[in-house]
């Protein structure tokens, strides 16, 4: 009886409360919404608008139609940048996920000193891309880096000089990028593995399913949310790829390791060519939207509504 | 974990983990060692490991050439300032999204995430123009605000995931007892969410500390943080590896120390906030 009573009372008390709460909720989100709207939306619209102008040294509202875009897509440097980012992005996505998962599975074996390993794996993440790029520029230096060490060990024909070879310079960047970013993803995956019920392992053992197969068939599908989070983090890192390139290769040799963000920066602040920079950033935003938004809606939006 | 793992297997796994650990740690260790070598020893072939004359010469040279204390102070002010400003704005917003979810909450969250994904170059020039117009280029306040904006989506997202774990009934009880919204957030919600907030703060300090894209662009001298400091050593001094290593160590030491002492919190922050 008493419980029904309190139930009814709280229900009655909730209604005006709810309205009041909604008011407060709107007020509470206001600062965030304001900054987000003004800066992100405003800035984006501004950039897109000026990408249709002939702005050079200074932004000018002088309509030029699609001229900047035509120039952009006939620029070889831009095409190389796009291709580089696509290759780098694809490889870094796959390799980060695979390596991070294997490392996480390794640490999940309850090995001694797990905390120490986690910290070590996370350390590269605590370094900025600038430092990462510089350190790896050096390790990959043919005179005293990896190539030299391996040659001293006896393999005198060993050739690994990615930073001076336009064909493979991207892999030099990739190694440094993986080194920097894998630890974070590994930690997230480790947490995901820890969240999996011990009974599931027992059940697969009883059914005689091997460890590797258990990971592939049972565990990975269960870790779907973890993989989604990892994808978001890796993806946002890939689009931003800039400081690593600047520190490690400066886009060279030649233009072989240029990336879109660098193209934008160079046109805006190096080439006095604002319109090109705006057009290039608009293309970058557009491609991110085309790739991400539908997928993100399926992933985050759909679940709630469905 | 009660999984049956034999001792031999365990040893093998530990060995494998050590191998990977050393492999990953090697570049940092090498930078550390090189920072104490003379330039000649630094590029010696074959490389010298430990048997060299340890010298502080490089640190002295870096110190003489540039203003390390200023860069360090700037980094600290910018990282802390942007993080706390972000928390101040994000806590009420995350509270609203976690406890008073409206029809639009999911959309807002999704939108926040997508702004994290959108390339920063989209808002780059308008921000530079605005800063120039306000006359605050190369000032700490500009960097505090810009880095706060850059990391705000991730702060809100992390706080939201923590707040969701807190039962709403407790807040409701506080309200029944007559707590107003301000007191509800300050005295009830915040203390319960302290671990989550601490992890968020830590992660964002690291993100802000390492942000190079914006800091290099928006500063020249007086507000230049450590990222700019180290970048200035990259191109013209490209061949002075020992000095470069010393500068790198000076730039990363504070964050490595912070990371070592707070690794439990940090890992928690990285994992909890992301997994749920």
């Amino acid at each position: 009886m008493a419980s029904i009573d309190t139930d009814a009372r709280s229900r009655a008390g909730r209604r005006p409360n709810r309205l009041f709460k909604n008011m407060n909720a709107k007020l509470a989100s206001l600062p965030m919404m304001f900054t987000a709207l003004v800066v992100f939306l405003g800035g984006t619209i501004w950039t897109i608008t000026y990408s249709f102008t002939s702005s050079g040294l200074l932004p000018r509202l002088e309509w030029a139609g699609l001229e900047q875009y035509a120039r952009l897509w006939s620029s070889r440097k831009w095409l190389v940048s796009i291709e580089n980012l696509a290759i780098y992005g694809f490889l870094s996505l796959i390799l980060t996920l695979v390596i991070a998962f294997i490392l996480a599975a390794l640490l999940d074996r309850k090995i001694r000193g797990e905390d120490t390993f986690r910290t070590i794996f996370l350390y590269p993440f605590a370094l900025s891309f600038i430092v990462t790029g510089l350190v790896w520029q050096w390790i990959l230096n043919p005179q005293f880096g990896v190539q030299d060490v391996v040659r001293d060990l006896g393999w005198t024909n060993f050739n690994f000089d990615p930073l001076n070879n336009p064909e493979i310079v991207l892999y030099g960047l990739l190694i440094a990028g993986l080194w920097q970013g894998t630890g974070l993803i590994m930690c997230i995956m480790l947490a995901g593995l820890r969240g999996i019920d011990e009974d599931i392992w027992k059940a697969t053992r009883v059914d005689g399913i091997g460890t590797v197969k258990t990971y592939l068939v049972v565990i990975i599908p269960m870790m779907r949310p973890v993989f989604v989070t990892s994808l978001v983090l890796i993806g946002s890192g890939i689009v931003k790829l800039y400081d690593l390139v600047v520190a490690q290769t400066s886009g060279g040799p030649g233009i072989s390791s240029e990336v879109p963000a660098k193209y934008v920066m160079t046109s805006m602040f190096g080439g006095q060519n604002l319109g090109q920079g705006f057009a290039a950033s608009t293309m970058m935003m557009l491609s991110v939207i085309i790739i991400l938004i539908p997928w993100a809606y399926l992933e985050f939006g759909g679940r709630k509504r469905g | 974990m009660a999984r049956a793992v034999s001792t031999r297997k365990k040893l093998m796994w530990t060995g494998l983990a050590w191998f990977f650990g050393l492999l990953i740690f090697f570049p940092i260790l090498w930078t550390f060692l090189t920072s104490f070598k003379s330039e000649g020893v630094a590029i010696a072939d074959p490389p010298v490991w430990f048997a060299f004359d340890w010298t502080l010469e490089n640190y002295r040279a870096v110190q003489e050439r540039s203003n390390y204390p200023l860069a360090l102070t700037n980094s600290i002010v910018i990282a802390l300032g942007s993080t706390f400003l972000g928390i101040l704005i994000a806590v009420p917003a995350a509270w609203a999204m976690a406890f008073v979810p409206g029809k639009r909450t999911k959309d807002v969250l999704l939108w926040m995430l997508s702004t994290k994904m959108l390339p920063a170059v989209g808002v780059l020039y308008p921000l530079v123009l605005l800063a120039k117009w306000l006359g605050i280029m190369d000032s700490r306040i500009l960097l505090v605000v810009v880095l706060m904006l850059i990391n705000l989506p991730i702060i809100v997202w992390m706080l939201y995931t923590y707040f969701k774990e807190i039962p709403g009934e407790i807040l409701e009880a506080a309200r029944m007892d007559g707590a107003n919204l301000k007191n509800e957030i300050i005295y009830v919600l915040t203390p319960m969410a302290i671990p989550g907030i601490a992890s968020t703060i830590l992660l964002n300090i690291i993100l802000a500390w390492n942000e190079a894209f914006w800091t290099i662009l928006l500063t020249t001298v007086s507000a230049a943080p450590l990222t700019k400091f180290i970048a200035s050593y990259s191109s013209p001094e490209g061949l002075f590896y020992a000095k470069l290593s010393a500068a790198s160590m000076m730039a990363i030491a504070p964050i490595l120390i912070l990371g070592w002492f707070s690794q439990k919190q940090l890992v928690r922050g990285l994992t909890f906030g992301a997994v749920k």
Side-chain angles (χ1 to χ4, degrees):
Chain A
M1 278 303 239
S3 76
I4 293 170
D5 226 306
T6 44
D7 227 340
R9 205 185 310 143
S10 77
R11 215 178 300 140
R14 194 171 279 168
R15 213 153 263 164
N17 213 349
R18 181 115 241 168
L19 237 166
F20 164 75
K21 255 170 100 179
N22 268 331
M23 259 295 289
N24 274 332
K26 294 217 169 73
L27 278 179
S29 340
L30 212 64
M32 184 200 78
M33 300 299 278
F34 177 77
T35 48
L37 270 177
V38 170
V39 177
F40 288 109
L41 207 61
T44 308
I45 290 172
W46 193 96
T47 302
I48 294 175
T49 311
Y50 275 85
S51 75
F52 296 106
T53 67
S54 59
S55 304
L57 180 61
L58 290 168
R60 273 180 314 174
L61 265 179
E62 211 169 81
W63 198 250
L66 289 172
E67 194 194 299
Q68 299 287 3
Y69 290 92
R71 262 176 64 199
L72 182 69
W73 284 104
S74 57
S75 150
R76 211 176 82 77
K77 197 169 142 192
W78 172 252
L79 295 176
V80 170
S81 305
I82 293 275
E83 197 195 324
N84 279 345
L85 192 67
I87 298 174
Y88 178 92
F90 178 75
L91 288 176
S92 129
L93 203 64
I94 304 282
L95 289 175
T96 309
L97 286 178
V98 171
I99 297 173
F101 187 81
I102 291 175
L103 287 179
L106 193 66
L107 279 197
D108 193 35
R109 303 263 115 185
K110 271 255 137 182
I111 57 158
R112 202 170 300 159
E114 185 196 308
D115 281 357
T116 316
F117 286 120
R118 244 184 351 201
T119 316
I120 288 178
F121 288 150
L122 265 181
Y123 257 174
F125 173 71
L127 308 193
S128 65
F129 267 134
I130 296 283
V131 175
T132 305
L134 293 176
V135 169
W136 279 91
Q137 180 193 43
W138 184 21
I139 293 177
L140 297 176
N141 184 308
Q143 263 136 51
F144 32 80
V146 176
Q147 178 178 303
D148 182 57
V149 171
V150 176
R151 278 186 186 176
D152 284 348
L153 287 176
W155 289 279
T156 41
N157 292 326
F158 181 76
N159 247 328
F160 189 66
D161 183 13
L163 299 188
N164 295 313
N165 183 348
E167 300 283 312
I168 56 169
V169 63
L170 223 48
Y171 303 102
L173 287 176
L174 191 65
I175 293 175
L178 286 176
W179 179 74
Q180 209 260 359
T182 311
L184 171 67
I185 306 297
M186 184 215 70
C187 273
I188 292 170
M189 294 209 169
L190 184 59
L193 284 173
R194 287 286 149 80
I196 282 170
D197 201 333
E198 194 52 36
D199 290 342
I200 288 171
W201 278 104
K202 280 185 196 145
T204 59
R205 192 128 312 157
V206 170
D207 288 345
I209 305 172
T211 312
V212 175
K213 200 176 170 197
T214 308
Y215 273 123
L216 290 179
V217 183
V218 184
I219 305 294
I220 291 182
M222 286 180 72
M223 281 172 56
R224 190 184 153 86
V226 177
F227 275 92
V228 171
T229 310
S230 307
L231 277 176
V232 172
L233 287 173
I234 303 171
S236 65
I238 291 170
V239 184
K240 282 194 311 197
L241 182 67
Y242 170 76
D243 9 5
L244 184 64
V245 178
V246 170
Q248 210 182 342
T249 67
S250 319
I255 57 166
S256 54
S257 63
E258 290 284 342
V259 285
K262 189 162 175 294
Y263 186 93
V264 172
M265 294 296 273
T266 324
S267 350
M268 277 186 192
F269 301 101
Q272 320 285 328
N273 204 343
L274 286 177
Q276 273 295 290
F278 297 148
S281 21
T282 307
M283 287 315 305
M284 281 176 74
M285 290 190 281
L286 196 66
S287 38
V288 170
I289 288 169
I290 288 173
I291 296 171
L292 286 180
I293 300 299
W295 168 76
Y297 256 97
L298 282 178
E299 202 53 58
F300 295 99
R303 209 184 307 148
K304 179 86 177 192
R305 276 173 211 121
Chain B
M1 220 149 261
R3 222 171 305 153
V5 183
S6 71
T7 323
R8 237 186 63 206
K9 256 194 171 161
K10 204 162 178 170
L11 262 175
M12 195 185 86
W13 291 123
T14 311
L16 208 58
W18 267 106
F19 173 74
F20 279 120
L22 280 178
L23 205 65
I24 290 174
F25 189 61
F26 175 76
I28 299 175
L29 177 71
W30 193 246
T31 311
F32 175 78
L33 289 176
T34 307
S35 70
F36 294 104
K37 295 173 179 172
S38 66
E39 291 294 349
V41 179
I43 55 170
D45 179 22
V48 186
W49 284 90
F50 298 98
F52 55 86
D53 290 328
W54 292 60
T55 169
L56 285 172
E57 189 49 46
N58 303 310
Y59 288 90
R60 213 169 297 133
V62 170
Q63 173 60 40
E64 262 164 32
R65 222 199 78 166
S66 44
N67 196 343
Y68 176 72
L70 178 69
L72 181 67
T73 319
N74 282 335
S75 267
I76 292 173
V77 169
I78 292 164
L80 292 183
S82 67
T83 303
F84 286 110
L85 191 62
I87 291 279
L88 220 58
I89 295 182
V91 165
W95 168 83
M97 290 197 289
F99 299 113
V100 202
K103 265 177 261 149
R104 298 251 143 253
T105 300
K106 268 273 154 162
D107 295 334
V108 171
L109 210 64
L110 176 64
W111 185 63
M112 296 289 298
L113 269 183
S114 55
T115 56
K116 186 72 202 155
M117 302 286 271
L118 280 181
V121 290
V123 291
L124 182 70
Y125 205 80
L127 270 183
V128 171
L129 268 190
L130 194 67
K132 278 188 178 151
W133 181 68
L134 291 170
I136 52 170
M137 278 298 270
D138 195 22
S139 71
R140 286 173 185 169
I141 183 76
L142 172 68
L143 284 181
V144 165
V145 171
V146 168
L147 294 196
M148 182 276 287
L149 287 172
I150 300 297
N151 291 327
L152 189 60
I154 244 174
I155 300 183
V156 174
W157 183 30
M158 282 180 76
L159 287 179
Y160 167 76
T161 54
Y162 288 118
F163 287 178
K164 251 190 351 189
E165 301 294 301
I166 293 170
E169 285 79 21
I170 295 179
L171 297 186
E172 207 136 299
R175 215 169 302 126
M176 294 267 179
D177 287 345
N180 62 21
L181 179 65
K182 196 185 91 202
N183 288 337
E184 181 189 325
I185 290 187
I186 294 179
Y187 295 111
V188 186
L189 176 64
T190 310
M192 290 181 68
I194 280 287
I197 293 177
S199 306
T200 313
I201 288 177
L202 258 173
L203 180 66
N204 278 281
I205 288 177
I206 293 185
L207 287 178
W209 190 277
N210 286 337
E211 177 62 56
F213 182 82
W214 291 96
T215 49
I216 291 177
L217 180 74
L218 296 177
T219 60
T220 41
V221 186
S222 58
L226 286 170
T227 40
K228 179 106 179 180
F229 164 84
I230 182 74
S232 76
Y233 274 85
S234 65
S235 30
E237 308 269 306
L239 283 171
F240 296 103
Y241 282 108
K243 284 184 194 65
L244 183 62
S245 298
S248 302
M249 283 320 291
M250 287 163 90
I252 65 179
I255 211 78
L256 289 189
I257 294 166
L258 178 77
W260 185 263
F261 284 113
S262 58
Q263 57 130 326
K264 277 252 160 67
Q265 277 299 330
L266 187 61
V267 169
R268 221 188 98 97
L270 292 172
T271 48
F272 257 76
V275 170
K276 296 263 166 72

